[in-house]
mmCIF file of all heavy atoms in Angstrom:
data_model
loop_
_atom_site.group_PDB
_atom_site.id
_atom_site.type_symbol
_atom_site.label_atom_id
_atom_site.label_comp_id
_atom_site.label_asym_id
_atom_site.label_seq_id
_atom_site.Cartn_x
_atom_site.Cartn_y
_atom_site.Cartn_z
ATOM 1 N N GLY A 1 105.333 -28.463 8.544
ATOM 2 C CA GLY A 1 106.060 -28.520 7.277
ATOM 3 C C GLY A 1 106.490 -27.153 6.779
ATOM 4 O O GLY A 1 106.110 -26.117 7.322
ATOM 5 N N TRP A 2 107.297 -27.159 5.747
ATOM 6 C CA TRP A 2 107.867 -25.945 5.170
ATOM 7 C C TRP A 2 106.781 -25.078 4.548
ATOM 8 O O TRP A 2 105.871 -25.562 3.879
ATOM 9 C CB TRP A 2 108.909 -26.317 4.116
ATOM 10 C CG TRP A 2 109.343 -25.175 3.231
ATOM 11 C CD1 TRP A 2 108.949 -24.949 1.963
ATOM 12 C CD2 TRP A 2 110.242 -24.119 3.575
ATOM 13 N NE1 TRP A 2 109.549 -23.802 1.471
ATOM 14 C CE2 TRP A 2 110.350 -23.273 2.446
ATOM 15 C CE3 TRP A 2 110.963 -23.790 4.730
ATOM 16 C CZ2 TRP A 2 111.160 -22.142 2.431
ATOM 17 C CZ3 TRP A 2 111.767 -22.656 4.712
ATOM 18 C CH2 TRP A 2 111.864 -21.847 3.580
ATOM 19 N N HIS A 3 106.903 -23.772 4.749
ATOM 20 C CA HIS A 3 105.972 -22.816 4.150
ATOM 21 C C HIS A 3 106.757 -21.559 3.825
ATOM 22 O O HIS A 3 107.220 -20.852 4.725
ATOM 23 C CB HIS A 3 104.836 -22.498 5.133
ATOM 24 C CG HIS A 3 103.770 -21.620 4.544
ATOM 25 N ND1 HIS A 3 103.428 -20.392 5.076
ATOM 26 C CD2 HIS A 3 102.969 -21.799 3.473
ATOM 27 C CE1 HIS A 3 102.447 -19.860 4.354
ATOM 28 N NE2 HIS A 3 102.152 -20.692 3.376
ATOM 29 N N PRO A 4 106.938 -21.239 2.536
ATOM 30 C CA PRO A 4 107.807 -20.115 2.157
ATOM 31 C C PRO A 4 107.143 -18.746 2.197
ATOM 32 O O PRO A 4 107.799 -17.747 1.927
ATOM 33 C CB PRO A 4 108.201 -20.466 0.709
ATOM 34 C CG PRO A 4 107.016 -21.204 0.192
ATOM 35 C CD PRO A 4 106.452 -21.979 1.353
ATOM 36 N N GLY A 5 105.837 -18.690 2.493
ATOM 37 C CA GLY A 5 105.157 -17.401 2.423
ATOM 38 C C GLY A 5 104.274 -17.126 3.626
ATOM 39 O O GLY A 5 104.381 -17.766 4.662
ATOM 40 N N ILE A 6 103.402 -16.129 3.467
ATOM 41 C CA ILE A 6 102.419 -15.791 4.489
ATOM 42 C C ILE A 6 101.035 -16.009 3.882
ATOM 43 O O ILE A 6 100.822 -15.786 2.688
ATOM 44 C CB ILE A 6 102.576 -14.323 4.946
ATOM 45 C CG1 ILE A 6 101.659 -14.017 6.123
ATOM 46 C CG2 ILE A 6 102.339 -13.344 3.794
ATOM 47 C CD1 ILE A 6 101.912 -12.644 6.759
ATOM 48 N N ASP A 7 100.077 -16.506 4.692
ATOM 49 C CA ASP A 7 98.696 -16.700 4.246
ATOM 50 C C ASP A 7 97.811 -15.641 4.898
ATOM 51 O O ASP A 7 97.775 -15.525 6.133
ATOM 52 C CB ASP A 7 98.203 -18.102 4.610
ATOM 53 C CG ASP A 7 98.846 -19.178 3.750
ATOM 54 O OD1 ASP A 7 99.466 -18.825 2.735
ATOM 55 O OD2 ASP A 7 98.721 -20.376 4.089
ATOM 56 N N LEU A 8 97.132 -14.882 4.048
ATOM 57 C CA LEU A 8 96.253 -13.813 4.521
ATOM 58 C C LEU A 8 94.820 -14.164 4.123
ATOM 59 O O LEU A 8 94.469 -14.132 2.937
ATOM 60 C CB LEU A 8 96.665 -12.476 3.906
ATOM 61 C CG LEU A 8 98.132 -12.066 4.149
ATOM 62 C CD1 LEU A 8 98.467 -10.804 3.359
ATOM 63 C CD2 LEU A 8 98.403 -11.861 5.635
ATOM 64 N N ALA A 9 93.990 -14.541 5.109
ATOM 65 C CA ALA A 9 92.638 -15.027 4.832
ATOM 66 C C ALA A 9 91.615 -13.902 4.867
ATOM 67 O O ALA A 9 91.627 -13.049 5.760
ATOM 68 C CB ALA A 9 92.261 -16.100 5.848
ATOM 69 N N ASN A 10 90.724 -13.918 3.874
ATOM 70 C CA ASN A 10 89.585 -13.006 3.826
ATOM 71 C C ASN A 10 88.560 -13.629 2.882
ATOM 72 O O ASN A 10 88.780 -14.713 2.330
ATOM 73 C CB ASN A 10 90.009 -11.609 3.365
ATOM 74 C CG ASN A 10 89.064 -10.522 3.880
ATOM 75 O OD1 ASN A 10 87.867 -10.751 4.034
ATOM 76 N ND2 ASN A 10 89.609 -9.349 4.157
ATOM 77 N N SER A 11 87.466 -12.964 2.665
ATOM 78 C CA SER A 11 86.387 -13.531 1.852
ATOM 79 C C SER A 11 86.755 -13.544 0.372
ATOM 80 O O SER A 11 87.624 -12.787 -0.084
ATOM 81 C CB SER A 11 85.100 -12.736 2.052
ATOM 82 O OG SER A 11 85.309 -11.375 1.717
ATOM 83 N N MET A 12 86.076 -14.411 -0.387
ATOM 84 C CA MET A 12 86.274 -14.500 -1.827
ATOM 85 C C MET A 12 86.048 -13.135 -2.475
ATOM 86 O O MET A 12 85.109 -12.421 -2.130
ATOM 87 C CB MET A 12 85.296 -15.503 -2.444
ATOM 88 C CG MET A 12 85.577 -16.957 -2.071
ATOM 89 S SD MET A 12 86.993 -17.644 -2.966
ATOM 90 C CE MET A 12 86.305 -17.766 -4.611
ATOM 91 N N GLY A 13 86.928 -12.786 -3.407
ATOM 92 C CA GLY A 13 86.755 -11.548 -4.155
ATOM 93 C C GLY A 13 87.337 -10.319 -3.490
ATOM 94 O O GLY A 13 87.228 -9.210 -4.036
ATOM 95 N N THR A 14 87.962 -10.483 -2.301
ATOM 96 C CA THR A 14 88.613 -9.338 -1.657
ATOM 97 C C THR A 14 89.731 -8.820 -2.557
ATOM 98 O O THR A 14 90.567 -9.597 -3.018
ATOM 99 C CB THR A 14 89.205 -9.745 -0.290
ATOM 100 O OG1 THR A 14 88.154 -10.195 0.558
ATOM 101 C CG2 THR A 14 89.931 -8.581 0.362
ATOM 102 N N PRO A 15 89.781 -7.512 -2.832
ATOM 103 C CA PRO A 15 90.815 -6.976 -3.727
ATOM 104 C C PRO A 15 92.224 -7.173 -3.179
ATOM 105 O O PRO A 15 92.465 -7.063 -1.972
ATOM 106 C CB PRO A 15 90.479 -5.484 -3.820
ATOM 107 C CG PRO A 15 89.039 -5.395 -3.459
ATOM 108 C CD PRO A 15 88.824 -6.465 -2.423
ATOM 109 N N ILE A 16 93.148 -7.459 -4.076
ATOM 110 C CA ILE A 16 94.576 -7.543 -3.769
ATOM 111 C C ILE A 16 95.233 -6.330 -4.433
ATOM 112 O O ILE A 16 95.047 -6.100 -5.634
ATOM 113 C CB ILE A 16 95.191 -8.849 -4.288
ATOM 114 C CG1 ILE A 16 94.523 -10.056 -3.608
ATOM 115 C CG2 ILE A 16 96.704 -8.878 -4.065
ATOM 116 C CD1 ILE A 16 94.899 -11.397 -4.224
ATOM 117 N N LYS A 17 95.969 -5.573 -3.661
ATOM 118 C CA LYS A 17 96.545 -4.310 -4.132
ATOM 119 C C LYS A 17 98.034 -4.464 -4.458
ATOM 120 O O LYS A 17 98.741 -5.273 -3.843
ATOM 121 C CB LYS A 17 96.386 -3.222 -3.064
ATOM 122 C CG LYS A 17 94.973 -3.040 -2.530
ATOM 123 C CD LYS A 17 94.049 -2.420 -3.561
ATOM 124 C CE LYS A 17 92.681 -2.114 -2.954
ATOM 125 N NZ LYS A 17 91.769 -1.483 -3.949
ATOM 126 N N ALA A 18 98.511 -3.669 -5.409
ATOM 127 C CA ALA A 18 99.944 -3.639 -5.722
ATOM 128 C C ALA A 18 100.698 -3.016 -4.556
ATOM 129 O O ALA A 18 100.390 -1.898 -4.141
ATOM 130 C CB ALA A 18 100.183 -2.825 -6.987
ATOM 131 N N PRO A 19 101.690 -3.720 -3.989
ATOM 132 C CA PRO A 19 102.434 -3.179 -2.850
ATOM 133 C C PRO A 19 103.264 -1.946 -3.213
ATOM 134 O O PRO A 19 103.628 -1.170 -2.348
ATOM 135 C CB PRO A 19 103.347 -4.335 -2.422
ATOM 136 C CG PRO A 19 102.729 -5.558 -3.016
ATOM 137 C CD PRO A 19 102.101 -5.106 -4.284
ATOM 138 N N ALA A 20 103.583 -1.799 -4.521
ATOM 139 C CA ALA A 20 104.391 -0.657 -4.981
ATOM 140 C C ALA A 20 104.251 -0.554 -6.488
ATOM 141 O O ALA A 20 103.652 -1.413 -7.133
ATOM 142 C CB ALA A 20 105.857 -0.856 -4.589
ATOM 143 N N ASN A 21 104.809 0.526 -7.055
ATOM 144 C CA ASN A 21 104.845 0.635 -8.507
ATOM 145 C C ASN A 21 105.680 -0.515 -9.066
ATOM 146 O O ASN A 21 106.693 -0.910 -8.477
ATOM 147 C CB ASN A 21 105.481 1.956 -8.942
ATOM 148 C CG ASN A 21 104.660 3.160 -8.508
ATOM 149 O OD1 ASN A 21 103.492 3.024 -8.118
ATOM 150 N ND2 ASN A 21 105.268 4.331 -8.564
ATOM 151 N N GLY A 22 105.279 -1.048 -10.214
ATOM 152 C CA GLY A 22 106.041 -2.151 -10.788
ATOM 153 C C GLY A 22 105.420 -2.685 -12.051
ATOM 154 O O GLY A 22 104.772 -1.957 -12.803
ATOM 155 N N VAL A 23 105.596 -3.961 -12.281
ATOM 156 C CA VAL A 23 105.113 -4.601 -13.498
ATOM 157 C C VAL A 23 104.664 -6.025 -13.177
ATOM 158 O O VAL A 23 105.220 -6.670 -12.275
ATOM 159 C CB VAL A 23 106.222 -4.625 -14.578
ATOM 160 C CG1 VAL A 23 107.446 -5.379 -14.110
ATOM 161 C CG2 VAL A 23 105.712 -5.193 -15.889
ATOM 162 N N VAL A 24 103.641 -6.503 -13.896
ATOM 163 C CA VAL A 24 103.218 -7.904 -13.771
ATOM 164 C C VAL A 24 104.170 -8.733 -14.618
ATOM 165 O O VAL A 24 104.183 -8.636 -15.848
ATOM 166 C CB VAL A 24 101.761 -8.094 -14.249
ATOM 167 C CG1 VAL A 24 101.375 -9.570 -14.183
ATOM 168 C CG2 VAL A 24 100.812 -7.270 -13.392
ATOM 169 N N LEU A 25 104.972 -9.523 -13.937
ATOM 170 C CA LEU A 25 106.013 -10.292 -14.611
ATOM 171 C C LEU A 25 105.461 -11.561 -15.246
ATOM 172 O O LEU A 25 105.899 -11.985 -16.315
ATOM 173 C CB LEU A 25 107.106 -10.648 -13.596
ATOM 174 C CG LEU A 25 108.422 -11.212 -14.121
ATOM 175 C CD1 LEU A 25 109.067 -10.245 -15.095
ATOM 176 C CD2 LEU A 25 109.366 -11.488 -12.958
ATOM 177 N N ALA A 26 104.487 -12.189 -14.596
ATOM 178 C CA ALA A 26 103.918 -13.442 -15.120
ATOM 179 C C ALA A 26 102.633 -13.761 -14.378
ATOM 180 O O ALA A 26 102.402 -13.287 -13.266
ATOM 181 C CB ALA A 26 104.911 -14.590 -14.943
ATOM 182 N N HIS A 27 101.819 -14.597 -14.998
ATOM 183 C CA HIS A 27 100.688 -15.185 -14.301
ATOM 184 C C HIS A 27 100.332 -16.494 -14.988
ATOM 185 O O HIS A 27 100.729 -16.754 -16.132
ATOM 186 C CB HIS A 27 99.482 -14.240 -14.230
ATOM 187 C CG HIS A 27 98.946 -13.810 -15.569
ATOM 188 N ND1 HIS A 27 98.462 -14.682 -16.512
ATOM 189 C CD2 HIS A 27 98.828 -12.573 -16.110
ATOM 190 C CE1 HIS A 27 98.045 -14.017 -17.572
ATOM 191 N NE2 HIS A 27 98.270 -12.724 -17.364
ATOM 192 N N GLY A 28 99.638 -17.342 -14.282
ATOM 193 C CA GLY A 28 99.296 -18.646 -14.841
ATOM 194 C C GLY A 28 98.626 -19.520 -13.809
ATOM 195 O O GLY A 28 98.035 -19.023 -12.830
ATOM 196 N N GLN A 29 98.731 -20.829 -14.010
ATOM 197 C CA GLN A 29 98.147 -21.790 -13.086
ATOM 198 C C GLN A 29 99.184 -22.846 -12.734
ATOM 199 O O GLN A 29 99.957 -23.275 -13.581
ATOM 200 C CB GLN A 29 96.922 -22.468 -13.710
ATOM 201 C CG GLN A 29 95.720 -21.540 -13.881
ATOM 202 C CD GLN A 29 94.522 -22.285 -14.427
ATOM 203 O OE1 GLN A 29 94.643 -23.199 -15.232
ATOM 204 N NE2 GLN A 29 93.339 -21.892 -13.983
ATOM 205 N N ALA A 30 99.191 -23.251 -11.478
ATOM 206 C CA ALA A 30 100.067 -24.327 -11.004
ATOM 207 C C ALA A 30 99.289 -25.136 -9.979
ATOM 208 O O ALA A 30 98.424 -24.599 -9.275
ATOM 209 C CB ALA A 30 101.342 -23.753 -10.386
ATOM 210 N N SER A 31 99.574 -26.438 -9.898
ATOM 211 C CA SER A 31 98.775 -27.323 -9.048
ATOM 212 C C SER A 31 98.743 -26.877 -7.591
ATOM 213 O O SER A 31 97.709 -26.951 -6.930
ATOM 214 C CB SER A 31 99.338 -28.750 -9.128
ATOM 215 O OG SER A 31 100.703 -28.779 -8.751
ATOM 216 N N GLY A 32 99.874 -26.390 -7.074
ATOM 217 C CA GLY A 32 99.902 -25.957 -5.680
ATOM 218 C C GLY A 32 99.329 -24.566 -5.479
ATOM 219 O O GLY A 32 98.490 -24.330 -4.611
ATOM 220 N N TYR A 33 99.754 -23.622 -6.324
ATOM 221 C CA TYR A 33 99.360 -22.221 -6.181
ATOM 222 C C TYR A 33 97.973 -21.915 -6.757
ATOM 223 O O TYR A 33 97.397 -20.887 -6.441
ATOM 224 C CB TYR A 33 100.376 -21.313 -6.891
ATOM 225 C CG TYR A 33 101.736 -21.264 -6.242
ATOM 226 C CD1 TYR A 33 102.806 -22.008 -6.737
ATOM 227 C CD2 TYR A 33 101.969 -20.453 -5.137
ATOM 228 C CE1 TYR A 33 104.059 -21.955 -6.151
ATOM 229 C CE2 TYR A 33 103.221 -20.376 -4.544
ATOM 230 C CZ TYR A 33 104.272 -21.132 -5.058
ATOM 231 O OH TYR A 33 105.506 -21.068 -4.472
ATOM 232 N N GLY A 34 97.460 -22.783 -7.617
ATOM 233 C CA GLY A 34 96.235 -22.441 -8.332
ATOM 234 C C GLY A 34 96.531 -21.310 -9.288
ATOM 235 O O GLY A 34 97.560 -21.299 -9.981
#
């Protein structure tokens, strides 16, 4: 099936880093994305 992104697996709590300077545009919860 269709998959628009990449899945990168690691343990719970692994830090996610900003790929570049920028701004947090939004955050929230959605049934698919959590």
Side-chain angles (χ1 to χ4, degrees):
W2 167 257
H3 185 239
I6 187 171
D7 288 347
L8 304 174
N10 206 327
S11 58
M12 291 284 289
T14 299
I16 298 170
K17 308 290 186 179
N21 296 346
V23 60
V24 177
L25 192 58
H27 60 60
Q29 291 183 325
S31 57
Y33 291 100

